[in-house]
Amino acid sequence: MNSLAKLLEAALFASPRPIATEELAALDPEASPAGLASALDELREHYDVDGHGVELVEVAGGWQVLTRPEYTEAIERAQMAVRPTKLSPAALETLAIIAYRQPIGRAEVAEIRGVDVGAVIKSLHERGLIDVVGRAEGLGRPLLYGTTRMFLEQFALRHLGELPRVDELAIALRKNGEEPVMAADLVEAAGVAAEAAAAPSAAPEAVVEGAPGA
Amino acid sequence: MNSLAKLLEAALFASPRPIATEELAALDPEASPAGLASALDELREHYDVDGHGVELVEVAGGWQVLTRPEYTEAIERAQMAVRPTKLSPAALETLAIIAYRQPIGRAEVAEIRGVDVGAVIKSLHERGLIDVVGRAEGLGRPLLYGTTRMFLEQFALRHLGELPRVDELAIALRKNGEEPVMAADLVEAAGVAAEAAAAPSAAPEAVVEGAPGA
Amino acid sequence: MYLSPRLPVTGLTPTAPHLQTSSAGDPQGGNAFVVDFTGFNGPLDLLLALLRDEQVDIYDIPVARVCEQFLSRMHELQLNEAAEYLEMAARLIRIKAQMLLPRKEGSDDWEDPRAELVRRLLEYQQMREVVDVLERLGEDRRSRFARTYMGQPAAPPPAPLALSLGDLLVAVDRVLRAARRPTIHEVIPRALDVDGAMQLVRSILALRARMRLREIIRDDSEPWEVLSALLGLLELAKRTEVHLTQPRPFADVEIRRELAGEAA
């Protein structure tokens, strides 16, 4: 490719929107309109003839380099195949508290967990698992959070009533006394589908703790 | 180019950020690791040999297509893209210390720099260049910081091991009492170190012990 | 060579020409978020600049001279109020004083009062070298554009969440275990018998017009019996079935049948 074609390629790649022909001319003040046209032709032909995953497309009075349609499906599929993220133990605990105590304020969640939960709540909110459902009375009228429809979807619940009742869990805990209660016991005790219990996740590892999108 | 290389090109063109090797592998479930590597090689060579305005760069555990530096000025002048802002010297000093001493707390960074670093750390955190990676033991359990994947991206590093090792830095080479280090030498020595670091280092081992995964 | 305060100490490396241009700009040039009025990144930076100007051996710093110059530069740069510079000045003065103390002849365990300062200077200088490397790498990267076009194939959706009810319940389990002893109230069914107390009073008052509290509360009554009796009496009084009087503090309460109550 000639050097103008290379410059055009770089600019078209870097630009967030299509670039009009006159704008492209500004890249090289010495280039003639004919030179510009032939450089664009060269770039297009290079992509077409040489076999590339991208192509040069004329849109809305300008030019753009786009991925070829035949690859978009594979790209989208690959994005779907991206390894699902797990919530960190901290996020799950916060979510559990909100699910069972909603509507609940941040301070109250922090009180139960014994640590600040600002970042975790923000992250759960960004993921659409919780939402603001109101404001508490009293000083500062703090925001109150509750779980969302997305929360139900993620856990395949029809409604919140399908969550095992927390007093059942508490009683189960109390009965077992000192002995740590395994999740499987809880799930069984609560009569939840064995499917949920089978999830190989009894040992939650440190995953993204309130991390922004992976 | 073979069809896998074209698919990779399409995906890399579509993404504003580096794509991890595993994610690239997900594009074609039938591609072997060797096939993937050779397709990436083919793509890189194609850009280099054939004369393109872009090139394939390995960064932050993944791959990214970037424009070649020689076109940056023209693109910026034509206002088709804007370069990100530079970090201040204070931010760079802080980042350097965190990169080498991670996980490290704010007080320790301040001790080395001789100035308070609260605002700088906050800003680096907001830019996604550092993140909280834990808490120290001891009074107040201060937060510990480490560098992020974004840090690698913004400095086009493949991994932290690409930073010069501490013992490769000029200052470390002089042992106390061996020969007088003139203060004026320090600067020149630094230049040598920078040059040494620029060359592909013979032993790019982990610089940082206990560095968090990128 | 006189080092302009605008130039970072290590800014003159041959391999990084951009350093010169980057720091020679406007006074706050490149200081994206920390305003540095002096061009120095703190007292260590200033001190290193002085040492460079003086061409001294870093392991044998002439403290008296350097201290004097540090103070005069502080004054020049109007840093007299800056705590960090003041602290360094104080440190220099202290080291200067320690250097003047007589040393014991022939003793090996004399510790150079400058050692800690030298260690910090070298550490800082080492970090400046890394800054040079980072600055060069950052400049290289900034001279390339990544794809910014975000149209067609939409930005990749966030990775799906892998969640199971099992995970959530494990979390509940942890919360319950971690919570400071869940307060589970022992509730005894019908602990109070208010109705029974009311019946008792009514049946006594059916026989006579007045009675005393002592008749239904004995010394060995359980707390719940006392509470039941009190609540029952208050309820009866509220319904105007009885009239309660206490002639004086701590005296026995007198319970009288009310006419209205009789009528009801």
Side-chain angles (χ1 to χ4, degrees), chain B residues 13 55 67 69 72 83-84 86 88-89 93 100-101 111 116 120 123 155 170-171 180-183 187, chain C residues 9 22 30-31 33-34 41 44 55-58 84 120 123-124 127-130 134 142-145 147:
Chain B
F13 255 73
E55 63 184 320
T67 61
T72 303
R83 285 208 244 184
K86 253 177 86 119
S88 70
E93 284 189 5
Y100 275 78
R101 299 285 187 90
E111 163 76 22
D116 180 61
V120 182
S123 157
F155 292 92
I171 288 310
V181 179
M182 302 307 282
V187 178
Chain C
V9 181
S22 71
N31 281 356
F33 31 80
V34 171
N41 297 313
L44 287 166
Q55 302 268 315
V56 300
D57 176 356
I58 192 137
E84 291 139 352
R120 283 191 65 190
E123 187 177 51
Y124 182 77
M127 186 272 307
R128 293 288 323 177
E129 289 181 39
V130 177
L134 284 181
R142 276 168 19 85
S143 69
R144 299 150 184 271
F145 292 114
R147 179 73 154 174

Side-chain angles (χ1 to χ4, degrees), chain A residues 2-14:
Chain A
N2 76 31
S3 72
L4 181 55
K6 287 193 272 185
L7 174 55
L8 294 180
E9 183 185 42
L12 289 164
F13 176 81

